[in-house]
Amino acid sequence: MTLRYLMTFLENVLKQYPKGKIVVVLDNAKIHHAKLIQPFLNRVKDRLELMFLPPYSPEMNLIEGLWGWLKASVINNVFYKSLPQVRTAIQKFISNINKVPTQTIDRLCVRL
């Protein structure tokens, strides 16, 4: 992800949710801590807060669980003859998990 993509994403989040405080949880990628983003964050600090996961904590980063699930379901021990076949298999996986979001929540989210 580039700094521009991150900025565009955060600006779009603010537009999509025009009222209230927004907290965005991020991992510790260098781009998320870039000095160039600080002026923007200072301008929107009353509306937007960045919260960082602890370093080296993939178990807290839900996307890591999704990547593992996708790899186990689609990629592992399968040979695809072309990139479009891989893309189709991934799209099918995503379509299937989107049909039953509670399954995704049960699989990826920690119950307290």
Side-chain angles (χ1 to χ4, degrees), residues 51-85:
M51 179 181 292
F52 295 95
L53 294 172
Y56 308 108
S57 58
E59 70 284 353
M60 295 182 77
N61 190 347
L62 298 181
I63 197 66
E64 297 294 340
L66 182 61
W67 295 141
W69 185 11
L70 183 139
K71 285 172 58 178
S73 300
V74 177
I75 305 295
N76 290 355
N77 300 316
V78 179
F79 175 77
Y80 295 97
K81 292 182 181 182
S82 67
L83 185 58
Q85 287 179 334

Side-chain angles (χ1 to χ4, degrees), residues 10 35 45-46 55 60 66 70 82 88 91 95:
L10 294 174
K35 289 181 182 179
K45 66 182 172 189
D46 59 323
M60 295 182 77
L66 182 61
L70 183 139
S82 67
T88 299
Q91 288 170 337
S95 177

Side-chain angles (χ1 to χ4, degrees), residues 14-69:
L14 288 167
K15 286 178 191 170
Q16 183 72 31
Y17 301 96
K19 296 178 183 174
K21 180 83 171 188
I22 299 167
V23 178
V24 178
V25 179
L26 300 166
D27 62 16
N28 281 285
K30 285 184 181 183
I31 195 72
H32 298 154
H33 294 279
K35 289 181 182 179
L36 293 173
I37 199 171
Q38 293 309 312
F40 168 77
L41 293 174
N42 288 336
R43 281 196 317 274
V44 298
K45 66 182 172 189
D46 59 323
R47 296 248 5 263
L48 181 67
E49 179 181 346
L50 302 184
M51 179 181 292
F52 295 95
L53 294 172
Y56 308 108
S57 58
E59 70 284 353
M60 295 182 77
N61 190 347
L62 298 181
I63 197 66
E64 297 294 340
L66 182 61
W67 295 141
W69 185 11

